[in-house]
Amino acid sequence: MHAASRPLTSRTLRAAAASYRRGTPVPRGPTGRVDLTDLLADPYADPADAERRLALTERRLFDAGDRRAVFLTVYGTVTSRVRRGLASDRFADPEWVGAYLTAFANRYRTALSAYECGERDRVPRAWRLAFDAALAGDTLVTQDALLGINAHVVHDLALALVDVGVHPKPARRADHDAVNAILAELVDVEQDLLAARYAPGLADLDEAGGRIDEAAAFLTLAEGRDWAWHCAVALADGGPLARRTVRWLLDRVSAGAGRLVLAPSRYGGARDRLLALERS
């Protein structure tokens, strides 16, 4: 388990412990409100296919008033920008990054497809939490975005990296980290999109609850992506016990971080005011 020792920080252990808390949103089965079958049935073939179908999924959910669109507004923007970077000199191995982008998107697709089919046992805990919360309709836009980012980065990313291979480590780690620069460029863009599409009453999402102390600190993309890389290396290099342990950590830490995002005590009285602003 030496390769995974770095992710075992006090923060990840607190998140893992939080996964055992109760008080999650009311479980939901198939929504029956939006038919996504044609968009989810087949795996994404390549980055262009992933970008196109993610955008269509977001539009269909958004038009139906389904808050699961919130995460896709963020994720679709990231996918589009990284795909454009494949044609530049940002990556040493753009073919690998393209495969990585596609495998990552397919992790989201399979989670949403299983959820839509009512196959909850096939949906990772963190995604069940995110989808249930979005459909319950009691969350802030910021919470919906963070819940999706948490499930996709803290749970899915390590598995996607294993799907496409992490070796040779130094070269591929450099390309993995190169994505962080793109993400940093998009922070303001994404927040403006969320404000424009879902919360017109919020002039500044950072100021209006965009950070959720230690939960959001863990979910900063650079830290979450570093966590995912180390977990992927442990999955690739470790023995059976190490692999089982890392998979347990991916499940529990992502679920616990999601529950920290939802904890109402972290907003205090500001949460009700923020909800009122969002819905004005």
Side-chain angles (χ1 to χ4, degrees):
M1 192 60 192
H2 175 71
S5 59
R6 186 169 174 180
L8 292 175
T9 65
S10 60
R11 196 176 302 169
T12 57
L13 292 173
R14 284 198 297 274
S19 72
Y20 292 96
R21 294 181 185 175
R22 302 197 173 196
T24 57
V26 177
R28 303 275 178 151
T31 65
R33 296 193 299 174
V34 186
D35 184 4
L36 302 173
T37 306
D38 59 317
L39 298 175
L40 301 176
D42 298 322
Y44 302 134
D46 52 40
D49 184 38
E51 180 183 353
R52 180 183 66 83
R53 284 200 272 159
L54 287 170
L56 290 171
T57 304
E58 184 222 16
R59 171 54 60 186
R60 203 168 292 179
L61 292 172
F62 180 81
D63 288 347
D66 189 318
R67 287 281 289 265
R68 290 177 297 172
V70 171
F71 166 71
L72 281 173
T73 297
V74 174
Y75 185 41
T77 304
V78 170
T79 301
S80 177
R81 188 66 63 90
V82 175
R83 189 176 81 83
R84 282 159 50 192
L86 297 176
S88 69
D89 59 357
R90 301 193 78 143
F91 304 110
D93 187 352
E95 183 177 351
W96 178 77
V97 176
Y100 158 13
L101 193 63
T102 305
F104 192 31
N106 273 313
R107 288 282 170 178
Y108 166 78
R109 182 192 61 79
T110 56
L112 182 58
S113 178
Y115 189 88
E116 284 296 282
C117 293
E119 300 172 357
R120 292 181 63 86
D121 290 344
R122 291 182 51 230
V123 183
R125 292 173 198 266
W127 275 122
R128 290 202 304 264
L129 197 68
F131 295 148
D132 286 349
L135 289 171
D138 297 326
T139 43
L140 296 165
V141 165
T142 303
Q143 287 176 295
D144 286 330
L146 283 176
L147 287 167
I149 291 168
N150 167 59
H152 206 34
V153 174
V154 180
H155 181 271
D156 291 351
L157 183 52
L159 301 175
L161 284 166
V162 172
D163 290 341
V164 297
V166 294
H167 297 294
K169 286 190 285 188
R172 290 188 172 175
R173 177 63 199 252
D175 275 347
H176 174 75
D177 288 344
V179 175
N180 293 349
I182 295 175
L183 298 175
E185 295 166 5
L186 291 176
V187 171
D188 290 339
V189 173
E190 291 162 351
Q191 291 180 349
D192 289 344
L193 279 171
L194 291 178
R197 289 177 70 79
Y198 304 99
L202 299 180
D204 188 325
L205 287 178
D206 267 340
E207 192 173 316
R211 299 190 182 275
I212 313 173
D213 51 70
E214 70 176 9
F218 177 73
L219 292 170
T220 57
L221 286 174
E223 185 174 356
R225 288 172 55 77
D226 183 65
W227 146 272
W229 179 266
H230 287 284
C231 287
V233 171
L235 287 169
D237 295 346
L241 178 59
R243 290 195 295 271
R244 284 197 299 272
T245 302
V246 172
R247 285 183 177 273
W248 179 87
L249 280 170
L250 292 173
D251 175 65
R252 288 297 176 176
V253 172
S254 59
R259 291 187 180 181
L260 289 174
V261 169
L262 286 172
S265 62
R266 297 186 175 273
Y267 292 92
R271 182 178 180 279
D272 291 339
R273 293 194 296 274
L274 289 170
L275 280 172
L277 277 172
E278 285 189 0
R279 297 170 183 181
S280 64

